[in-house]
Amino acid sequence: MEFIRRKLSIDWILFFAVLPIVGAGLVTMNSFGGNNAYFEHQLIWIGISLATFFIVSSIDISFLKRTNVIMILYGIVITLLTLLFILGTISKGAQSWFNLGGFSIQPIDPAKIILIIVLAKYFSRRHVEIADIRHIIISGVYAFLVFALVFLQPDFGGALIVFSIWFGMVMVSGLSKKHLFAVFGIGTVIFSLLWGFVFQEYQKKRILTFIHPLADIRGAGYNAYQSTITVGSGELLGKGVGFGTQSRLQFLP
């Protein structure tokens, strides 16, 4: 009876709302022509995701509210991110993956979820005294450990996501305006130091391309430019599955 109760508590509206998006992705991948490896890999991961969804939905995950459990998970994540520098596989210049033979695992993905849980637990226990600046600093330390290990891989995009998770949760935690301005000021100073002394040239280009995506259409802004052409040429209804010019004429990497 307990299993049935949990089964019925699944958000089926959300579940069925995702299916058309998944299906559209599969149809698009199958329309590339030639090598269908992406399509086959996607099918496998969809199966794994569905199995994980139903398994997790059938168990009581309230144990994640316990501080000792959360800190153990956080410690495991930090350990895995550290081990990457010893046992990780380098792919496209970043040492971000554990190669387990038939498949690879990127620890940053579960690290994001664990960081959200850690920060949610921390802020929920201190929401009354959140105006104290020390709680912002301590929460920042939790996030910084993950941020630094990801940034040094180097995975610049993943590091930005980690920072955004911390920053977003700080914003909704009930921060006072005084401390809000302090966070913005500290962030500006840190970003300036990173820009001047830490960021590599390609990392700077990624940021500039995000701000001005069409400034370098043959270099860093190439993908953004091709996306603009794709959306513009397809207009409202598109050109039909398998008839996109940018994919058929191999303008996409």
Side-chain angles (χ1 to χ4, degrees):
M1 292 299 295
E2 181 66 15
F3 173 78
I4 295 176
R5 184 187 68 79
R6 288 180 184 143
K7 184 177 179 181
L8 294 176
S9 68
I10 294 175
D11 189 341
W12 290 107
I13 295 178
L14 178 62
F15 175 78
F16 286 111
V18 171
L19 294 185
I21 301 175
V22 173
L26 286 174
V27 171
T28 302
M29 289 182 177
N30 198 38
S31 71
F32 290 162
N35 184 10
N36 283 334
Y38 288 117
F39 176 80
E40 296 167 359
H41 289 169
Q42 189 73 350
L43 273 180
I44 294 172
W45 282 112
I46 288 173
I48 294 174
S49 300
L50 288 175
T52 303
F53 172 81
F54 285 110
I55 290 173
V56 173
S57 298
S58 65
I59 62 177
D60 184 3
I61 59 173
S62 61
F63 67 91
L64 290 176
K65 295 180 181 180
R66 294 163 52 186
T67 302
N68 59 334
V69 172
I70 294 175
M71 296 313 298
I72 289 173
L73 292 174
Y74 180 77
I76 292 173
V77 162
I78 294 298
T79 301
L80 289 175
L81 290 173
T82 304
L83 286 175
L84 275 174
F85 297 102
I86 303 173
L87 305 174
T89 299
I90 298 177
S91 177
K92 297 181 179 180
Q95 197 166 0
S96 306
W97 300 81
F98 287 119
N99 189 348
L100 303 179
F103 62 97
S104 300
I105 296 177
Q106 190 175 24
I108 180 58
D109 291 326
K112 298 170 189 172
I113 299 174
I114 299 302
L115 179 61
I116 291 172
I117 296 174
V118 168
L119 294 178
K121 177 66 174 181
Y122 184 84
F123 287 133
S124 67
R125 296 188 64 181
R126 294 160 179 84
H127 65 280
V128 176
E129 52 182 14
I130 191 61
D132 194 323
I133 191 67
R134 78 173 185 274
H135 297 311
I136 301 170
I137 296 174
I138 294 174
S139 67
V141 171
Y142 284 125
F144 180 77
L145 289 176
V146 179
F147 174 89
L149 290 171
V150 174
F151 183 83
L152 292 174
Q153 291 175 3
D155 181 0
F156 183 57
L160 282 181
I161 293 175
V162 170
F163 171 79
S164 299
I165 289 173
W166 171 78
F167 187 75
M169 295 190 72
V170 167
M171 291 299 99
V172 300
S173 65
L175 192 66
S176 67
K177 291 183 179 180
K178 177 179 66 176
H179 293 152
L180 177 61
F181 285 118
V183 169
F184 274 113
I186 294 172
T188 301
V189 172
I190 293 175
F191 181 80
S192 300
L193 293 173
L194 291 174
W195 185 274
F197 303 102
V198 179
F199 286 165
Q200 301 295 320
E201 192 62 31
Y202 77 93
Q203 294 171 329
K204 294 180 180 179
K205 284 184 178 180
R206 288 186 64 180
I207 297 174
L208 294 174
T209 300
F210 177 78
I211 300 173
H212 302 291
L214 302 183
D216 183 15
I217 61 175
R218 294 186 180 277
Y222 179 84
N223 288 343
Y225 180 58
Q226 296 302 324
S227 300
T228 303
I229 294 176
T230 300
V231 175
S233 62
E235 298 182 334
L236 182 61
L237 300 179
K239 293 185 173 182
V241 175
F243 293 96
T245 53
Q246 306 314 105
S247 59
R248 288 175 65 88
L249 299 179
Q250 298 184 351
F251 281 103
L252 306 179

